[in-house]
Amino acid sequence: MRRTACWLAALALAGVALAPWYLVQDRLSDIDWSGGWLAEPDHAPALSQALLFGRGWLWPVVAACLAAPAVLLLPGRTALARALVGVGGLGLAALVLQGCAIGLNGWRMPALELLFGPLDDRQFGIGIGATLSAFALLWMLTAGLAGLGLFRGDPFTAGAVGTIALAVGLFTFFPVASLLTDAFRTGEGGFAVGALIGRLGDDRSWGLACLAGAPRCGVAWNTLTLGLMTASGTTTLGLAFALLVTRGATRFPKALRTLTILPIITPSFVIGLGLILIFGRAGLVNQILFALFGIEGGRWIYGLQGVWLAQMFAFTPTVFLVLIGVVEGVSPTMEEAAQTLRASRWHTFATVSLPLMRPGIANAFLVAFVESIADFGNPIVLGGNFGVLSTEIFFAVVGAQADAGRAATLALVLLVFALGAFWAQTRITGRRSYVSIAGKGDRGVHPPLPAWVRRLCLGVAMPWAGLTIVLYAMALTGGFVETWGRDYTPTLRHLLRAFDLEWSAHGLIWSGVAWNSVWT
């Protein structure tokens, strides 16, 4: 521990005395590393910032780092460990507090300005020096905790846990909390619980006027309805595909597996585009209906049904990947034991196999629900007048509203929906044990599906597979005709415009408009 503390003290000193403390606005190579950076206000380390430029708020952090070498002089393991906890904890707390108290425009909170007076200075984000010092102080704290007996006395394990905790807090909880606090911000910039209550009661979020014949309901109900529909549909489809691939005795299981996971590598807007090319106003189905029966095509693909259909294609692969491991993980020995006791295929499937799959099915439902309520690409392409929380949050931020408070409130509702789904999943599966333990590995063979279950799975999965093939065929062929829906003359014009190549006196020129995006 003393050797570790020695290295950490050296790192802390380098952070406050040698490296630029604040975020460098230009390149690091532009800094005068011969020594001039020590006297530049934008590049100076914390010690120079406090001594030369009057930034006294850095003194607590500097003092903690300067005190680190003195800690090494303490005799005894316990005294050293307690000193490391004190220096590391106080220094890290001082760094966080001064970072949160002062920003680009001086004091961040009016109370601090009333207490200390106006501050005409500013500070940017942390730079190399602050990062090194923060890392050293954190590991001093964790090394001290390990020296006191925590983490089984292992400084590396303690430091790793501390680093992960800091990273999660800094890059997850802090920005989410900062965003959600805007839900309590009033129009004048203050904070009040009434601001959140007023936004939550907005009819645009929770209105049920659609039940009385109005064109739309609140976006919260729309999101919840869409999430439940998508989770139910994708879980049913994913389970059907998983059963067919593992127990359905199909002729082409590998092809079926490949077709099932194909949408997971496809951007969501491609699926939406394919659906528009098939079912849109100028889509293939509407053109066939008009040519054969004179029926004018509608715009039904835009709205709840279109978004739901697109999400079914987009998220079934994720559910399938969750459930195929669940289906394959059911113990064949237990199923064989049930059949040995003269249980029929259906009885074995219903009383042994399916109950053991229940936690996996609940997990798949949860994943699909969260994916659905967080989806943005499909609702923005196919939503039309059907708004959901994700699109409303986007438009509240970048649209003409510019209402960060409404966006934060809707994000809070979205978070509550996700946590509610997780709570329901744990309530359903958390009270029972679904683990089967044997003294040796399972080498049995899963029994085939009952005949009518297999037919039901085929009836559910095969139409989806066929529509998937048509969907991708439409999306691909749409790039090789002049104008989809009007002029089906084959052409390579779009391909050449995107990926054209030219030779010049200076060599090869990537002149296609898509090359920059491909390289990026």
Side-chain angles (χ1 to χ4, degrees), residues 425-445:
Q425 184 259 356
T426 55
R427 292 284 295 179
I428 293 172
T429 63
R431 294 186 176 182
R432 295 184 180 181
S433 175
Y434 298 87
V435 179
S436 57
I437 302 176
K440 58 182 180 180
D442 262 335
R443 295 185 179 180
V445 178

Side-chain angles (χ1 to χ4, degrees), residues 59-435:
W59 275 119
V61 183
V62 173
C65 293
L66 293 178
V71 169
L72 301 174
L73 302 177
L74 294 174
R77 179 181 177 87
T78 302
L80 176 61
R82 289 175 177 173
L84 287 175
V85 171
V87 170
L90 292 176
L92 198 60
L95 178 61
V96 173
L97 289 176
Q98 65 89 19
C100 295
I102 304 170
L104 287 173
N105 300 314
W107 298 115
R108 291 179 182 270
M109 291 170 280
L112 293 175
E113 186 171 351
L114 292 176
L115 185 62
F116 298 105
L119 181 66
D120 296 329
D121 208 345
R122 90 290 180 266
Q123 63 175 357
F124 293 107
I126 64 173
I128 298 176
T131 302
L132 293 177
S133 297
F135 185 79
L137 292 170
L138 173 67
W139 276 64
M140 283 183 191
L141 172 63
T142 56
L145 294 175
L148 294 175
L150 299 179
F151 303 100
R152 297 185 177 180
D154 186 355
F156 178 79
T157 301
V161 172
T163 302
I164 293 173
L166 179 64
V168 172
L170 185 63
F171 298 114
T172 301
F173 289 109
F174 178 71
V176 171
S178 299
L179 168 68
L180 295 182
T181 54
D182 284 340
F184 298 89
R185 194 182 299 274
T186 63
E188 294 75 25
F191 289 90
V193 177
L196 173 64
I197 297 175
R199 294 187 179 105
L200 283 177
D202 191 351
D203 188 65
R204 293 177 295 173
S205 301
W206 299 99
L208 290 172
C210 61
L211 300 180
R216 69 192 70 175
C217 278
V219 292
W221 297 118
N222 290 346
T223 304
L224 189 60
T225 302
L226 178 64
L228 293 174
M229 290 173 58
T230 300
S232 302
T234 53
T235 303
T236 302
L237 269 174
L239 182 61
F241 271 105
L243 292 172
L244 285 176
V245 169
T246 58
R247 307 180 181 205
T250 55
R251 294 184 179 181
F252 308 104
K254 292 184 178 180
L256 191 61
R257 182 192 291 255
T258 302
L259 184 64
T260 305
I261 66 175
L262 183 61
I264 205 171
I265 61 173
T266 305
S268 57
F269 69 87
V270 173
I271 297 175
L273 173 63
L275 290 174
I276 292 174
L277 295 178
I278 298 174
F279 300 110
R281 187 66 179 269
L284 187 64
V285 172
N286 285 337
Q287 290 188 15
I288 293 175
L289 290 176
F290 182 78
L292 296 180
F293 308 106
I295 300 176
E296 290 282 351
R299 296 174 54 87
W300 66 270
I301 194 63
Y302 299 100
L304 171 61
Q305 56 277 3
V307 178
W308 174 73
L309 190 59
Q311 289 190 349
M312 289 286 289
F313 280 99
F315 303 137
T316 294
T318 304
V319 174
F320 168 77
L321 292 177
V322 172
L323 289 177
I324 192 169
V326 173
V327 173
E328 291 175 339
V330 174
S331 172
T333 302
M334 301 187 70
E335 295 173 322
E336 290 173 355
Q339 291 183 325
T340 303
L341 295 172
R342 298 183 180 181
S344 64
R345 289 184 183 178
W346 163 245
H347 194 67
T348 301
F349 179 77
T351 61
V352 177
S353 306
L354 203 56
L356 289 175
M357 298 177 193
R358 188 179 301 166
I361 294 174
N363 290 337
F365 186 94
L366 172 66
V367 169
F369 179 82
V370 174
E371 290 277 1
S372 173
I373 64 175
D375 181 33
F376 176 78
N378 291 308
I380 201 69
V381 173
L382 293 169
N385 293 327
F386 180 79
V388 293
L389 286 172
S390 59
T391 54
E392 288 297 311
I393 292 170
F394 175 76
F395 288 125
V397 174
V398 305
Q401 306 175 48
D403 190 350
R406 172 171 165 78
T409 303
L410 296 179
L412 186 62
V413 174
L414 198 62
L415 180 63
V416 170
F417 281 173
L419 294 178
F422 178 75
W423 175 84
Q425 184 259 356
T426 55
R427 292 284 295 179
I428 293 172
T429 63
R431 294 186 176 182
R432 295 184 180 181
S433 175
Y434 298 87
V435 179

